[in-house]
């Protein structure tokens, strides 16, 4: 039987987006009886560590030097390695392949020097960009967790709009307080839940809560989500939730531009200035405008991307039995 390794890291400083999408793929592989082992470090985020622990996904510290990592993977009986990291030495994929393993590299545009048998770029419009290598590209391959695929949107009927504000699983850029202030600056009525690892005072209409496994449920209940253009954007498209986007890391800018240009999300820009406050005010006071954004993306991410990726990954190393 094929055994799969996943090389990725997560934590308070680097965020959890890589881990979340790899967990989604691991859920699919495990549902097919394929053993999955994570190799990497989760630091400073109990929520991130719990994503592996609660699913019974084994995790071991990874050796960094490419050939030592390859030897470690062989000792673990791994046949196929998934790489999802911006910080791995460029020769990691090549060393794994030299050791007889097949490699799937999850990328966001730039492969950063990694050699692989197959690449995955789930970003919107990726299929239109030139690429050297065999690739799964575009929204048909978005990796969604079970907790998201089970959700159904339940918008509010009557009362002030419910707003969810979060910036990745850890808010590694520390921007939640500033965007909460922008929401309050609109003067519009709303009720908000803000996800932040660090508590802060925000007034009676805002509940500040730590990172939570209830995030998919909170997304499905929201009338508007304010977030960054990371992995969660695809979850929101799948659920059909009206979304206003910013970006907090350079690698998010391409996704931001694609989503905003396509009318799939409202664009707030990089900072919560006057223009962003004006956009938020219009979204909070105009339900029809919000729902236009929610409806446009609903059919774009069908939730079966991880099945397509798993099919392709398992073809890299067929089961000899």
């Amino acid at each position: 039987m094929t055994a799969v390794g996943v090389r990725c890291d997560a934590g308070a400083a680097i965020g959890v987006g890589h881990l979340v999408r790899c967990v989604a793929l691991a859920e699919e592989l495990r549902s097919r009886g394929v053993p999955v082992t994570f190799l990497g470090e989760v630091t400073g985020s109990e929520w991130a560590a719990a994503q592996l622990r609660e699913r019974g996904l084994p995790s071991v510290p990874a050796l960094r030097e490419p050939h030592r990592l390859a030897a470690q993977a062989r000792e673990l009986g791994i046949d196929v390695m998934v790489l999802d990291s911006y910080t791995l030495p460029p020769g990691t994929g090549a060393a794994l392949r030299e050791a007889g393993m097949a490699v799937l590299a999850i990328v966001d545009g730039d492969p950063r020097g990694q050699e692989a048998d197959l690449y995955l770029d789930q970003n919107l419009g990726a299929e239109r960009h030139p690429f050297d290598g065999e690739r799964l590209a575009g929204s048909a391959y978005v990796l969604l967790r079970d907790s998201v695929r089970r959700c159904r949107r339940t918008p509010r009927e009557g009362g002030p709009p419910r707003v969810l504000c979060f910036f990745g699983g850890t808010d590694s850029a520390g921007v939640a307080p500033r965007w909460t202030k922008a929401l309050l600056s609109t003067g519009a009525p709303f009720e908000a839940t803000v996800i932040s690892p660090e508590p802060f005072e925000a007034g009676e209409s805002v509940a500040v809560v730590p990172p939570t496994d209830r995030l998919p449920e909170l997304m499905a209940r929201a009338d508007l989500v304010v977030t960054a253009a990371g992995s969660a954007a695809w979850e929101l498209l799948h659920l059909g939730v009206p979304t206003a986007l910013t970006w907090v890391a350079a690698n998010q800018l391409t996704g931001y531009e694609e989503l905003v240009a396509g009318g799939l999300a409202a664009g707030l820009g990089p900072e919560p200035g006057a223009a962003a406050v004006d956009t938020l005010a219009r979204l909070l006071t105009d339900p029809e405008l919000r729902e236009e954004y929610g409806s446009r993306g609903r059919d774009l991410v069908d939730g079966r991307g991880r099945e397509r990726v798993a099919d392709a990954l398992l073809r890299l190393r067929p089961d000899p039995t």
Side-chain angles (χ1 to χ4, degrees):
M1 174 181 290
T2 299
V4 175
V6 178
R7 176 67 186 92
C8 72
D9 302 309
I14 62 175
V16 299
H18 298 283
L19 179 71
V20 166
R21 61 189 182 186
C22 286
V23 163
L25 180 57
E27 287 177 336
E28 179 64 30
L29 292 167
R30 288 276 294 270
S31 75
R32 304 182 185 201
V34 177
V36 180
T37 300
F38 278 70
L39 295 90
E41 293 186 358
V42 178
T43 56
S45 173
E46 172 56 27
W47 180 87
Q51 303 313 296
L52 301 179
R53 185 175 61 249
E54 293 173 359
R55 290 170 173 82
L57 290 166
S59 176
V60 298
L63 297 176
R64 179 165 176 79
E65 196 278 324
H67 287 93
R68 294 184 67 197
L69 174 65
Q72 179 185 24
R74 294 309 298 168
E75 289 179 3
L76 291 169
I78 290 170
D79 303 298
V80 179
M81 183 71 84
V82 177
L83 302 179
D84 192 354
S85 172
Y86 297 151
T87 62
L88 294 178
T92 301
L96 291 164
R97 297 180 76 202
E98 288 173 8
M101 279 164 277
V103 176
L104 167 68
I106 303 180
V107 301
D108 295 293
D110 185 359
R112 299 175 184 262
Q114 291 302 344
E115 182 180 316
D117 298 276
L118 179 66
Y119 298 87
L120 165 62
D121 188 340
Q122 64 178 13
N123 290 289
L124 182 66
E127 66 275 17
R128 300 195 303 270
H129 303 151
F131 190 86
D132 185 17
E134 186 177 353
R135 180 178 60 156
L136 308 174
S139 57
Y141 300 100
V142 167
L143 304 171
L144 297 181
R145 295 168 291 159
D146 287 336
S147 56
V148 175
R149 301 207 309 171
R150 287 193 297 262
C151 274
R152 296 294 180 271
R153 187 168 176 233
T154 55
R156 187 170 195 163
E157 296 183 6
R162 292 185 295 206
V163 179
L164 175 63
C165 183
F166 70 97
F167 300 92
T170 62
D171 188 22
S172 58
V175 299
R178 285 188 286 150
W179 283 105
T180 302
K181 183 178 179 180
L183 284 164
L184 293 167
S185 297
T186 66
F190 65 88
E191 296 175 358
T193 299
V194 179
I195 310 296
S196 173
E198 299 296 331
F200 61 92
E201 293 294 329
E204 294 183 0
S205 64
V206 179
V208 180
V209 301
T212 172
D213 280 337
R214 294 183 57 239
L215 187 58
E217 174 191 336
L218 293 172
M219 288 192 292
R221 295 176 64 246
D223 300 298
L224 175 67
V225 171
V226 179
T227 190
S231 298
W234 317 122
E235 299 177 347
L236 293 162
L237 286 174
H238 174 67
L239 295 171
V241 181
T243 302
L245 289 178
T246 181
W247 72 90
V248 297
N251 67 291
Q252 295 177 345
L253 181 56
T254 299
Y256 172 90
E257 292 174 340
E258 288 278 356
L259 290 163
V260 172
L264 301 170
L268 298 174
E271 296 292 337
V277 171
D278 181 64
T279 298
L280 289 170
R282 287 187 285 112
L283 290 166
L284 289 171
T285 57
D286 189 339
E288 292 185 2
L289 176 62
R290 291 197 303 267
E291 291 308 312
E292 283 180 17
Y293 283 113
S295 63
R296 287 175 189 148
R298 191 171 291 120
D299 296 327
L300 193 63
V301 178
D302 64 7
R304 297 185 58 201
R306 70 187 216 178
E307 299 170 29
R308 301 180 183 106
V309 174
D311 288 343
L313 181 149
L314 294 175
R315 284 196 294 268
L316 296 176
R317 179 59 57 94
D319 188 343
T321 63

